[in-house]
Amino acid sequence: MTGATPSASSGLYSDVIRDRWRRPRHRGELPGANAVAEDVNPLCGDRVRMMLAVAPEGRITEARFLGDSCAICTASADVVADLVSGRSRGEAAALDVSDVLAVLQAEIRPTRMRCATLPLSVLAQALDGSAKP
Amino acid sequence: MRLDELTRSDFPILQRIVNGRPLVYFDSGASSQKPRAVLEAMNRYYERSHANVHRSIHTLGEEATELYELARDAVQRFIGAPSREEVVFTRGTTDGLGLIAETIGRTLRRGDEIVVTELEHHSNLIPWQLVARDRGAVLKAIPIREDGTLDLDAFDRLLTPRTRVVAFAHVSNVVGTINPVIEIVRRARAVNALTVVDGAQAAPHLRLDMSALECDFYVFSAHKMLGPTGIGVLYGRRAVLESLEPGRGGSEMIKEVWIDRAQWNDLPWRFEPGTPPIAEAVGLTAAIEYLEKLGMDRISEHERALTRQTQEGLARIPGVTVYGPPANVERGAVVSFAVEGLHPHDVAALLDEEGIAVRAGHHCAMPLMRRLGVVGTSRATFSVFNSPDEVSLLLTTVAGLRSAL
Ligand SMILES: Cc1ncc(COP(=O)(O)O)c(C=O)c1O
């Protein structure tokens, strides 16, 4: 048998996912955050924390995340942070997984869908303030 | 002839092409594949003999009952149980551990103590948490050392006159540690504690002998040992089983019933309420006969060689960490590893692109993950049909992974 190396053109991970996994734009602490939530994916133990700085009139001025997570989940969290920055709470809450997938440009298999959706559910928890920080 | 050469053609699923490559199945620890003999035995049963057991006074009912009870004899022989009454059929390891936790649980009093270990599968942890909460009992865990083995000195310090149960895995499903059952049972017995062994990862790979292990309970699943899903075994020492009230009620487990009370059936049926998994029992018999024909010692030897090849090969790849006991210590057919800079899920997904099936994640052992300081691992597990060539393919593929994402 010949040893096969998964090539960089592997169909599983889009260039967007690779890029955001290697160099996430919004990863890190957000000291002034006033809407924060953290959750885990019970299937794999992935953990994501979303931190939002929300201005008094309800606009999200900045969003950052921290995660112990796979490439899909990390890229998704990074995209979510991108998409909510500058939006109102209501607009952010209306964000759908299809919006995230459109940016990721990837065919996510059913078994990995939770990896893509975890950051969105953490976002929802941060926005409705029900989660403990 | 090597065992894989002897057995490969018995497993129809190994013909599968996955993502354009021949399937390399390294996930038998989660659930093994089935040889044709098992599939055919179950089909034959459904096509010729199916009826309900025990209650049907007609030819098919008698055949079904006989086949079901023959499975008990096969299991008794396979695990070296002193008598067939000690073999109780369940739906699987989780079901068996839950059943025994509930049953023992009813006898616990406030302040009684249950000892588990840090490397348990959630199936051998959560039922005890529930019982401890209900009964006001105290749950303690034997810590593990850096190399994934149990700290038995710490175990000694955990044992007290209030220790009622010691529940532990025979073989870790994550790091492969083979725990010293005889030694743990001896120390538990010294304080009159019952012992419950989770044998899910041992039954497919090691020769078992209940009379040598001397534990009170031993639990495993058929589907990890080439048999079907939906059936498992709870072995219980007769004296202990006899002393316990049944944990669950229904048909089959009673002799006589009144509105307000019932008289329990004899062992082992006392612990088997309802219609049992009959076809699955037939499949389990076929799986046991298949394993016995190959020989458990030969199986252990084959899988140990694959495990060692994997462990040593992975350890030589820069950026790869292998967890668990060092290669010179015997372990189960399990190797957990991490690739620097890659999440275990991505490792599994990238390997799947090459047709290689490994498991990734916390492996239902979150406290152990926390102890190892990781969110998860990638895990290769082995069975009779795996070959050294397949391991070589895994090794070269893993070596190329760091540049893949
Ligand atoms: C050590 C161990 N215990 C328990 C289980 C649970 O087995 P099952 O899912 O068949 O009930 C498993 C398998 O997942 C295991 O590896």
Coordinates of all heavy atoms in Angstrom, one line a residue, chain B residues 30-99:
Chain B
A30 N -15.4 1.2 19.3 CA -16.7 1.8 19.4 C -17.8 0.8 19.0 O -18.8 0.6 19.7 CB -16.9 3.0 18.5
S31 N -17.6 0.1 17.9 CA -18.4 -1.1 17.6 C -17.7 -1.9 16.5 O -17.2 -1.3 15.5 CB -19.8 -0.6 17.1 OG -20.7 -1.7 17.1
S32 N -17.6 -3.2 16.7 CA -16.8 -4.0 15.8 C -17.7 -4.3 14.5 O -18.9 -4.2 14.6 CB -16.4 -5.3 16.4 OG -17.5 -6.1 16.6
Q33 N -17.0 -4.8 13.5 CA -17.8 -5.3 12.3 C -18.1 -6.8 12.6 O -17.6 -7.4 13.6 CB -16.9 -5.1 11.1 CG -16.6 -3.7 10.8 CD -17.8 -2.8 10.6 OE1 -18.9 -3.3 10.5 NE2 -17.6 -1.5 10.6
K34 N -19.0 -7.3 11.7 CA -19.5 -8.6 12.0 C -19.1 -9.6 10.9 O -19.3 -9.4 9.7 CB -21.1 -8.6 12.0 CG -21.7 -7.4 12.7 CD -21.3 -7.2 14.1 CE -21.7 -5.8 14.6 NZ -20.9 -5.4 15.8
P35 N -18.7 -10.8 11.3 CA -18.4 -11.8 10.3 C -19.7 -12.4 9.8 O -20.7 -12.4 10.4 CB -17.6 -12.9 11.1 CG -18.0 -12.7 12.5 CD -18.4 -11.3 12.7
R36 N -19.6 -12.9 8.6 CA -20.7 -13.5 7.9 C -21.4 -14.5 8.8 O -22.7 -14.6 8.8 CB -20.3 -14.2 6.6 CG -21.4 -14.4 5.6 CD -20.9 -14.9 4.2 NE -20.3 -13.8 3.5 CZ -19.0 -13.7 3.2 NH1 -18.1 -14.6 3.7 NH2 -18.5 -12.7 2.5
A37 N -20.7 -15.3 9.6 CA -21.3 -16.4 10.4 C -22.3 -15.8 11.4 O -23.4 -16.4 11.6 CB -20.2 -17.1 11.2
V38 N -22.1 -14.6 11.9 CA -23.0 -13.9 12.8 C -24.3 -13.5 12.0 O -25.4 -13.8 12.5 CB -22.4 -12.7 13.5 CG1 -23.4 -11.9 14.2 CG2 -21.3 -13.2 14.4
L39 N -24.1 -12.9 10.9 CA -25.2 -12.4 10.1 C -26.1 -13.6 9.6 O -27.3 -13.5 9.7 CB -24.7 -11.6 8.8 CG -23.7 -10.5 9.2 CD1 -23.1 -9.9 7.9 CD2 -24.3 -9.5 10.1
E40 N -25.4 -14.6 9.2 CA -26.2 -15.8 8.7 C -26.9 -16.5 9.9 O -28.1 -16.9 9.7 CB -25.2 -16.8 8.0 CG -24.9 -16.3 6.6 CD -23.8 -17.2 5.9 OE1 -23.3 -18.1 6.6 OE2 -23.5 -16.9 4.8
A41 N -26.3 -16.6 11.0 CA -27.0 -17.2 12.1 C -28.3 -16.5 12.5 O -29.3 -17.1 12.8 CB -26.1 -17.3 13.3
M42 N -28.2 -15.1 12.5 CA -29.4 -14.3 12.9 C -30.5 -14.4 11.8 O -31.6 -14.6 12.1 CB -29.0 -12.9 13.1 CG -28.1 -12.7 14.3 SD -27.5 -11.0 14.5 CE -28.9 -10.2 15.1
N43 N -30.0 -14.4 10.5 CA -31.0 -14.6 9.4 C -31.7 -15.9 9.5 O -32.9 -16.0 9.3 CB -30.2 -14.5 8.1 CG -30.6 -13.2 7.4 OD1 -31.6 -12.6 7.7 ND2 -29.7 -12.8 6.5
R44 N -30.9 -17.0 9.7 CA -31.4 -18.3 9.8 C -32.4 -18.4 10.9 O -33.5 -19.0 10.7 CB -30.3 -19.3 10.0 CG -30.6 -20.7 9.5 CD -29.4 -21.7 9.7 NE -28.1 -21.0 9.3 CZ -27.1 -20.9 10.2 NH1 -27.2 -21.3 11.5 NH2 -25.9 -20.3 9.9
Y45 N -32.1 -17.8 12.0 CA -33.0 -17.8 13.1 C -34.4 -17.2 12.8 O -35.4 -17.7 13.0 CB -32.4 -17.1 14.4 CG -33.5 -16.8 15.4 CD1 -34.0 -17.8 16.2 CD2 -34.0 -15.5 15.5 CE1 -35.0 -17.5 17.1 CE2 -35.0 -15.2 16.4 CZ -35.5 -16.2 17.2 OH -36.5 -15.9 18.1
Y46 N -34.3 -16.0 12.1 CA -35.5 -15.3 11.8 C -36.3 -16.0 10.7 O -37.5 -16.0 10.7 CB -35.2 -13.9 11.3 CG -35.1 -12.8 12.4 CD1 -34.1 -12.0 12.5 CD2 -36.2 -12.8 13.4 CE1 -34.0 -11.0 13.6 CE2 -36.1 -11.8 14.4 CZ -35.0 -11.0 14.5 OH -35.0 -10.0 15.5
E47 N -35.6 -16.7 9.8 CA -36.2 -17.3 8.7 C -36.8 -18.7 9.1 O -37.8 -19.2 8.5 CB -35.3 -17.5 7.5 CG -35.0 -16.2 6.8 CD -34.0 -16.3 5.7 OE1 -33.4 -17.4 5.5 OE2 -33.7 -15.3 5.1
R48 N -36.3 -19.3 10.2 CA -36.7 -20.7 10.5 C -37.4 -20.9 11.9 O -38.3 -21.7 12.0 CB -35.5 -21.6 10.4 CG -35.0 -21.9 9.0 CD -34.0 -23.0 9.1 NE -34.4 -24.2 9.9 CZ -35.2 -25.2 9.5 NH1 -35.6 -25.2 8.3 NH2 -35.5 -26.1 10.3
S49 N -36.9 -20.1 12.9 CA -37.2 -20.5 14.2 C -37.9 -19.4 15.1 O -38.1 -19.7 16.3 CB -36.0 -21.0 14.9 OG -35.3 -22.0 14.2
H50 N -38.1 -18.2 14.5 CA -38.5 -17.1 15.5 C -39.8 -17.3 16.1 O -40.8 -17.6 15.4 CB -38.5 -15.8 14.7 CG -39.0 -14.7 15.6 ND1 -38.3 -14.3 16.8 CD2 -40.1 -14.0 15.7 CE1 -38.9 -13.4 17.4 NE2 -40.1 -13.2 16.7
A51 N -39.9 -17.2 17.4 CA -41.1 -17.1 18.2 C -40.7 -16.5 19.5 O -39.5 -16.3 19.8 CB -41.7 -18.4 18.4
N52 N -41.6 -16.2 20.4 CA -41.2 -15.7 21.7 C -40.7 -16.8 22.5 O -41.0 -18.0 22.3 CB -42.3 -14.9 22.4 CG -41.8 -13.8 23.3 OD1 -40.6 -13.9 23.8 ND2 -42.5 -12.8 23.5
V53 N -39.8 -16.5 23.5 CA -39.2 -17.6 24.3 C -40.0 -17.8 25.6 O -40.8 -17.0 26.0 CB -37.8 -17.2 24.7 CG1 -36.9 -17.2 23.4 CG2 -37.7 -15.8 25.4
H54 N -39.7 -19.0 26.2 CA -40.2 -19.4 27.5 C -41.7 -19.6 27.6 O -42.2 -20.5 28.2 CB -39.8 -18.4 28.6 CG -38.3 -18.2 28.7 ND1 -37.5 -19.3 28.7 CD2 -37.5 -17.1 28.7 CE1 -36.2 -18.9 28.8 NE2 -36.2 -17.6 28.7
R55 N -42.6 -18.7 26.9 CA -44.0 -18.8 27.1 C -44.7 -19.6 26.0 O -45.9 -19.9 26.2 CB -44.6 -17.4 27.2 CG -44.3 -16.7 28.5 CD -44.6 -15.2 28.4 NE -43.5 -14.6 27.6 CZ -43.5 -13.3 27.4 NH1 -44.3 -12.5 27.9 NH2 -42.5 -12.8 26.7
S56 N -44.0 -19.9 24.9 CA -44.8 -20.5 23.8 C -44.6 -22.0 23.8 O -43.5 -22.5 23.7 CB -44.2 -19.9 22.5 OG -44.0 -18.5 22.6
I57 N -45.8 -22.7 23.9 CA -45.7 -24.2 23.9 C -46.0 -24.6 22.5 O -47.0 -25.2 22.2 CB -46.8 -24.7 24.9 CG1 -46.8 -24.1 26.2 CG2 -46.7 -26.3 25.0 CD1 -45.5 -24.3 27.0
H58 N -45.1 -24.3 21.6 CA -45.2 -24.9 20.2 C -43.8 -25.0 19.7 O -42.9 -24.5 20.3 CB -46.1 -24.0 19.3 CG -45.7 -22.5 19.3 ND1 -44.6 -22.1 18.8 CD2 -46.4 -21.4 19.8 CE1 -44.5 -20.8 18.9 NE2 -45.6 -20.3 19.5
T59 N -43.7 -25.6 18.6 CA -42.4 -26.0 18.1 C -41.4 -24.8 17.9 O -40.3 -24.9 18.4 CB -42.5 -26.7 16.7 OG1 -43.4 -27.8 16.9 CG2 -41.1 -27.2 16.2
L60 N -41.9 -23.8 17.3 CA -41.0 -22.6 17.1 C -40.6 -22.0 18.5 O -39.5 -21.6 18.7 CB -41.7 -21.6 16.2 CG -41.9 -22.0 14.8 CD1 -42.4 -20.8 13.9 CD2 -40.7 -22.7 14.2
G61 N -41.6 -21.9 19.4 CA -41.3 -21.4 20.7 C -40.2 -22.2 21.4 O -39.3 -21.6 22.1
E62 N -40.3 -23.5 21.2 CA -39.3 -24.3 21.9 C -38.0 -24.1 21.2 O -36.9 -24.1 21.9 CB -39.7 -25.8 21.8 CG -40.7 -26.2 22.9 CD -41.4 -27.5 22.6 OE1 -40.9 -28.3 21.7 OE2 -42.4 -27.8 23.3
E63 N -37.9 -24.0 19.9 CA -36.6 -23.8 19.2 C -36.0 -22.5 19.6 O -34.8 -22.4 19.9 CB -36.8 -23.9 17.7 CG -37.0 -25.3 17.2 CD -37.2 -25.3 15.7 OE1 -36.8 -24.3 15.0 OE2 -37.8 -26.3 15.2
A64 N -36.9 -21.5 19.7 CA -36.3 -20.1 20.0 C -35.8 -20.2 21.5 O -34.7 -19.6 21.7 CB -37.4 -19.1 19.9
T65 N -36.5 -20.8 22.3 CA -36.1 -20.9 23.7 C -34.8 -21.6 23.8 O -33.9 -21.2 24.5 CB -37.2 -21.6 24.6 OG1 -38.4 -20.9 24.5 CG2 -36.8 -21.6 26.1
E66 N -34.7 -22.7 23.1 CA -33.5 -23.5 23.2 C -32.3 -22.7 22.6 O -31.2 -22.7 23.3 CB -33.6 -24.8 22.4 CG -32.5 -25.7 22.6 CD -32.6 -27.0 21.8 OE1 -33.7 -27.3 21.3 OE2 -31.5 -27.6 21.5
L67 N -32.5 -22.0 21.5 CA -31.4 -21.2 21.0 C -31.0 -20.1 21.9 O -29.8 -19.8 22.1 CB -31.8 -20.6 19.6 CG -31.9 -21.6 18.5 CD1 -32.6 -21.0 17.2 CD2 -30.5 -22.1 18.1
Y68 N -32.0 -19.4 22.5 CA -31.7 -18.4 23.5 C -30.9 -18.9 24.6 O -29.9 -18.3 25.0 CB -33.0 -17.7 23.9 CG -32.9 -16.6 24.9 CD1 -32.2 -15.4 24.5 CD2 -33.3 -16.7 26.2 CE1 -32.1 -14.4 25.4 CE2 -33.2 -15.7 27.1 CZ -32.5 -14.5 26.7 OH -32.4 -13.5 27.6
E69 N -31.3 -20.0 25.2 CA -30.6 -20.6 26.3 C -29.2 -21.1 26.0 O -28.3 -21.2 26.8 CB -31.5 -21.6 27.0 CG -32.7 -21.0 27.7 CD -32.4 -19.9 28.8 OE1 -31.3 -20.0 29.4 OE2 -33.2 -19.0 28.9
L70 N -29.1 -21.6 24.7 CA -27.7 -22.0 24.3 C -26.8 -20.9 24.3 O -25.6 -21.0 24.5 CB -27.8 -22.6 22.8 CG -28.3 -24.1 22.7 CD1 -28.4 -24.5 21.3 CD2 -27.3 -25.0 23.4
A71 N -27.3 -19.7 24.0 CA -26.4 -18.5 24.1 C -25.8 -18.3 25.5 O -24.7 -17.9 25.7 CB -27.1 -17.2 23.6
R72 N -26.7 -18.6 26.5 CA -26.2 -18.5 27.9 C -25.1 -19.5 28.1 O -24.1 -19.1 28.8 CB -27.4 -18.8 28.8 CG -27.3 -18.0 30.1 CD -28.4 -18.4 31.0 NE -29.8 -18.1 30.5 CZ -30.3 -16.8 30.5 NH1 -29.7 -15.8 31.0 NH2 -31.5 -16.6 30.1
D73 N -25.2 -20.7 27.6 CA -24.1 -21.7 27.8 C -22.9 -21.2 27.1 O -21.8 -21.4 27.6 CB -24.6 -23.0 27.2 CG -25.8 -23.6 27.9 OD1 -25.9 -23.3 29.1 OD2 -26.6 -24.3 27.3
A74 N -23.0 -20.6 25.9 CA -21.8 -20.2 25.2 C -21.1 -19.1 26.0 O -19.9 -19.1 26.1 CB -22.2 -19.6 23.8
V75 N -21.9 -18.2 26.5 CA -21.3 -17.1 27.3 C -20.6 -17.6 28.6 O -19.5 -17.2 28.9 CB -22.4 -16.0 27.7 CG1 -21.8 -15.0 28.7 CG2 -22.9 -15.3 26.5
Q76 N -21.3 -18.5 29.2 CA -20.7 -19.1 30.5 C -19.4 -19.7 30.2 O -18.4 -19.5 30.9 CB -21.7 -20.2 31.0 CG -21.1 -20.8 32.3 CD -21.7 -22.3 32.6 OE1 -22.6 -22.7 31.9 NE2 -21.0 -22.9 33.5
R77 N -19.3 -20.5 29.1 CA -18.0 -21.1 28.7 C -17.0 -20.0 28.3 O -15.8 -20.0 28.8 CB -18.3 -21.9 27.5 CG -17.1 -22.8 27.0 CD -17.6 -23.7 25.8 NE -17.9 -22.8 24.6 CZ -19.0 -22.8 23.9 NH1 -20.0 -23.7 24.2 NH2 -19.1 -22.0 22.9
F78 N -17.4 -19.0 27.6 CA -16.5 -17.9 27.1 C -15.9 -17.1 28.2 O -14.7 -16.7 28.1 CB -17.3 -17.0 26.1 CG -16.5 -15.9 25.5 CD1 -15.6 -16.2 24.5 CD2 -16.7 -14.6 25.8 CE1 -14.8 -15.2 23.9 CE2 -16.0 -13.6 25.2 CZ -15.0 -13.9 24.2
I79 N -16.6 -16.9 29.3 CA -16.1 -16.1 30.3 C -15.7 -16.9 31.6 O -15.3 -16.3 32.6 CB -17.1 -15.0 30.8 CG1 -18.4 -15.6 31.4 CG2 -17.5 -14.1 29.6 CD1 -19.3 -14.5 32.0
G80 N -15.8 -18.2 31.5 CA -15.4 -19.0 32.6 C -16.2 -18.8 33.8 O -15.7 -18.7 34.9
A81 N -17.5 -18.7 33.6 CA -18.4 -18.5 34.8 C -18.7 -19.8 35.4 O -18.9 -20.8 34.7 CB -19.7 -17.8 34.4
P82 N -18.7 -19.9 36.7 CA -19.0 -21.2 37.4 C -20.3 -21.8 37.0 O -20.4 -23.0 36.9 CB -18.9 -20.9 38.9 CG -18.0 -19.7 38.9 CD -18.3 -18.9 37.7
S83 N -21.4 -21.0 36.8 CA -22.6 -21.6 36.4 C -23.4 -20.7 35.5 O -23.2 -19.5 35.4 CB -23.5 -21.9 37.7 OG -23.9 -20.7 38.3
R84 N -24.4 -21.4 34.7 CA -25.1 -20.6 33.7 C -26.1 -19.6 34.4 O -26.5 -18.7 33.7 CB -25.8 -21.6 32.8 CG -27.0 -22.4 33.4 CD -27.5 -23.5 32.5 NE -27.7 -23.0 31.1 CZ -28.8 -22.3 30.7 NH1 -29.7 -22.0 31.6 NH2 -29.0 -22.0 29.5
E85 N -26.5 -19.9 35.6 CA -27.5 -19.0 36.3 C -26.9 -17.7 36.5 O -27.5 -16.7 36.9 CB -28.0 -19.6 37.6 CG -28.9 -20.8 37.4 CD -28.1 -22.1 37.1 OE1 -26.9 -22.1 37.2 OE2 -28.8 -23.1 36.6
E86 N -25.6 -17.6 36.4 CA -24.9 -16.3 36.7 C -24.8 -15.4 35.5 O -24.2 -14.3 35.6 CB -23.5 -16.6 37.3 CG -23.5 -17.4 38.6 CD -22.1 -17.8 39.1 OE1 -21.5 -18.6 38.3 OE2 -21.8 -17.4 40.2
V87 N -25.3 -15.9 34.4 CA -25.2 -15.1 33.1 C -26.6 -14.5 32.8 O -27.5 -15.2 32.5 CB -24.8 -16.0 32.0 CG1 -24.8 -15.3 30.6 CG2 -23.4 -16.6 32.2
V88 N -26.7 -13.2 33.0 CA -27.9 -12.5 32.7 C -27.7 -11.7 31.4 O -26.7 -11.0 31.2 CB -28.2 -11.5 33.9 CG1 -29.4 -10.6 33.6 CG2 -28.3 -12.2 35.2
F89 N -28.7 -11.8 30.5 CA -28.7 -11.0 29.3 C -29.3 -9.6 29.5 O -30.3 -9.5 30.2 CB -29.4 -11.7 28.2 CG -28.6 -12.9 27.6 CD1 -29.1 -14.2 27.6 CD2 -27.3 -12.6 27.1 CE1 -28.3 -15.2 27.1 CE2 -26.5 -13.7 26.6 CZ -27.0 -15.0 26.7
T90 N -28.6 -8.6 29.0 CA -29.1 -7.2 29.1 C -29.1 -6.7 27.6 O -28.9 -7.5 26.7 CB -28.1 -6.4 29.9 OG1 -26.8 -6.3 29.1 CG2 -27.8 -7.0 31.3
R91 N -29.3 -5.4 27.5 CA -29.3 -4.8 26.2 C -27.9 -4.3 25.8 O -27.6 -3.8 24.7 CB -30.2 -3.6 26.1 CG -31.6 -3.9 26.6 CD -32.3 -4.9 25.7 NE -33.3 -5.7 26.4 CZ -34.4 -6.3 25.9 NH1 -34.7 -6.1 24.7 NH2 -35.2 -7.0 26.7
G92 N -26.9 -4.4 26.7 CA -25.6 -3.9 26.5 C -24.9 -3.5 27.8 O -25.5 -3.6 28.8
T93 N -23.7 -3.0 27.6 CA -22.9 -2.6 28.8 C -23.6 -1.5 29.6 O -23.7 -1.6 30.8 CB -21.5 -2.1 28.4 OG1 -20.9 -3.0 27.5 CG2 -20.6 -1.8 29.6
T94 N -24.1 -0.5 28.9 CA -24.7 0.6 29.6 C -25.9 0.1 30.4 O -26.1 0.5 31.6 CB -25.2 1.7 28.6 OG1 -24.0 2.1 27.8 CG2 -25.8 2.9 29.3
D95 N -26.7 -0.7 29.7 CA -27.9 -1.3 30.4 C -27.5 -2.1 31.6 O -28.1 -2.0 32.7 CB -28.6 -2.1 29.4 CG -30.0 -2.6 29.9 OD1 -30.7 -1.8 30.4 OD2 -30.3 -3.8 29.7
G96 N -26.5 -2.9 31.4 CA -26.0 -3.8 32.5 C -25.5 -3.0 33.7 O -25.8 -3.3 34.9
L97 N -24.7 -2.0 33.5 CA -24.2 -1.2 34.5 C -25.3 -0.4 35.2 O -25.3 -0.3 36.5 CB -23.1 -0.2 34.0 CG -21.8 -0.9 33.6 CD1 -20.9 0.1 32.8 CD2 -21.0 -1.4 34.8
G98 N -26.3 0.1 34.4 CA -27.4 0.8 35.0 C -28.2 -0.1 35.9 O -28.6 0.2 37.0
L99 N -28.5 -1.3 35.4 CA -29.2 -2.3 36.1 C -28.6 -2.6 37.5 O -29.2 -2.6 38.5 CB -29.4 -3.6 35.3 CG -30.0 -4.8 36.0 CD1 -31.4 -4.6 36.4 CD2 -29.8 -6.1 35.1

